[in-house]
Amino acid sequence: MPREMIGCCGAYCKTCKVYVQGLCKGCKTGYDTGERDISKAKCAIKVCCIRRGLSSCADCEAYGDCGMVSAFYAHESYKYKKYKQATEYIRAQGYEAFLRNADCWNGAYGAYNVPAELK
Ligand code: SF4
Ligand code: SF4
């Protein structure tokens, strides 16, 4: 369940204000149960990631060469840099370490403050 709350691009849905307010279903919830249909999803990153059976782009063997995700991360807004940081943190440290940080956030991204000995 916690990993399901990590968006394919690295945004963390569980602490995202829009999700917390009940205005969004989250990136990945409901596709495995049939409540939502991935063929109707608008986000191409999500469609690609879920069709590949991945938890996020962090698990993708094509990550380093993927123009779609690199173009997404190249957008100007600060949040895209943080989503990229999340994905690269997961690739380096794993999901459990990521979640120990992310569960303390107040939005879809945040800081990485968990002491190294707990990672
Ligand atoms: S931008 Fe796409 S991949 Fe990222 S959280 Fe939103 S729907 Fe998921
Ligand atoms: S190909 Fe790109 S968008 Fe698709 S899962 Fe891999 S990194 Fe994500």
Side-chain angles (χ1 to χ4, degrees):
M1 180 62 183
R3 197 180 291 193
E4 190 181 316
M5 299 312 298
I6 304 170
C8 294
C9 66
Y12 191 43
C13 299
K14 187 177 174 189
T15 51
C16 174
K17 291 185 174 72
V18 182
Y19 177 80
V20 170
Q21 289 166 4
L23 301 173
C24 176
K25 293 175 181 167
C27 179
K28 298 185 309 204
T29 54
Y31 293 106
D32 55 345
T33 60
E35 290 167 58
R36 294 166 81 189
D37 180 353
I38 192 62
S39 70
K40 295 186 176 145
K42 294 192 178 99
C43 175
I45 293 174
K46 169 161 77 174
V47 171
C48 179
C49 186
I50 287 181
R51 286 199 168 140
R52 284 171 180 251
L54 305 175
S55 290
S56 77
C57 292
D59 296 336
C60 185
E61 61 184 14
Y63 176 76
D65 298 318
C66 178
M68 185 156 54
V69 82
S70 63
F72 179 77
Y73 292 148
H75 284 110
E76 276 297 309
S77 172
Y78 178 69
K79 69 181 180 182
Y80 298 103
K81 293 175 180 57
K82 294 299 289 184
Y83 298 158
K84 179 179 182 182
Q85 181 186 35
T87 300
E88 298 198 342
Y89 187 95
I90 293 166
R91 285 170 70 80
Q93 306 288 341
Y95 284 101
E96 297 312 313
F98 174 80
L99 289 166
R100 282 196 289 276
N101 287 279
D103 281 331
C104 301
W105 294 348
N106 294 312
Y109 54 84
Y112 294 83
N113 295 324
V114 174
E117 63 270 22
L118 298 179
K119 289 179 179 173

